[in-house]
Amino acid sequence: MRVVALADTHAPRSWRSMPLRVAEQLADADLILHAGDVCVPSVLRELAAYAPVHVVKGNNDGPDVNAPETLELILDGLCVAMIHDSGPARGRLERMRRRFPEADLVVFGHSHIPLDESGDGLRIFNPGSPTDSRRQPHGTVGVLTIEHGVLREVRIIPVS
C-alpha cells in the first residue's frame, strides 16, 4: 500500500491549487493522509481526485473543514494514528505512545518540519508542508509503503 502523507497546506494563502510535484507523488497513491491545517475544504476535494483521503483538524481549520481532532486507522494491518499538533519536541515519542497506546505509527503536522523518529515500539512522522516550508530548504510530502502490517519504507520527498 502506497500512502502519501501531507500537512499544513494552508490554502489559499500557500496552496492556491495542486502543485505539480505534489500531484506527481499522488498519481499512484492508494491513500492520502492529511495531518491538518487544510484551511479550506477545496484542498480535500483536490486530493480526493487521486485517492481516498483521511484528515484531522488543524489549529487553522475552521468549521467548514469537517475532521476529527485525532484519528486511528488500520492500514494493511498497521495501526496508524493521526493528530495535528503533537506538542513540544521534548518528550514527543513518550507523549504520543501514551496518547495512542496501540499505534505503530503516528502521523502529525503543525511544525512544518519534516521528522521521522522511532523509539519504544513507535514511529512518529511529520511529512512537513508541501507549500509553506518556513525555515526548511524545501516543501515536502511523505511517502509510506505499508505491506502486511509492516512499514516497509518511509520517505520525505522534496516538492518545491
Side-chain angles (χ1 to χ4, degrees), residues 81-99:
M82 291 175 60
I83 189 169
H84 178 63
D85 185 355
S86 65
R90 185 179 182 108
R92 182 179 284 139
L93 263 167
E94 297 81 8
R95 190 171 47 257
M96 291 298 98
R97 170 51 70 216
R98 286 190 306 273
R99 180 83 186 252

Side-chain angles (χ1 to χ4, degrees), residues 15-109:
W15 173 298
R16 296 189 196 291
S17 64
M18 173 82 62
L20 177 60
R21 293 193 61 199
V22 173
E24 289 169 356
Q25 293 303 316
L26 295 172
D28 57 352
D30 296 306
L31 188 76
I32 301 166
L33 302 177
H34 195 302
D37 278 358
V38 176
C39 298
V40 296
S42 61
V43 171
L44 298 175
R45 289 190 295 274
E46 281 184 276
L47 294 172
Y50 291 88
V53 179
H54 293 281
V55 61
V56 291
K57 190 171 282 284
N59 59 300
N60 287 295
D61 291 329
D64 56 341
V65 176
N66 185 19
E69 299 292 326
T70 63
L71 189 59
E72 293 183 67
L73 309 158
I74 303 296
L75 303 179
D76 198 13
L78 188 78
C79 184
V80 179
M82 291 175 60
I83 189 169
H84 178 63
D85 185 355
S86 65
R90 185 179 182 108
R92 182 179 284 139
L93 263 167
E94 297 81 8
R95 190 171 47 257
M96 291 298 98
R97 170 51 70 216
R98 286 190 306 273
R99 180 83 186 252
F100 303 106
E102 302 302 315
D104 300 306
L105 170 69
V106 176
V107 177
F108 66 98

Side-chain angles (χ1 to χ4, degrees), residues 111-115 126-129 132-140 156 160:
S111 70
H112 299 222
I113 300 170
L115 175 77
N126 185 333
S129 171
D132 187 0
S133 58
R134 295 196 179 161
R135 294 174 300 280
Q136 303 306 302
H138 302 283
T140 54
I156 295 171
S160 69

Side-chain angles (χ1 to χ4, degrees), residues 142-159:
V143 176
L144 313 170
T145 304
I146 302 168
E147 186 178 303
H148 306 296
V150 177
L151 188 55
R152 295 278 181 211
E153 184 178 29
V154 175
R155 293 185 299 146
I156 295 171
I157 309 288
V159 292

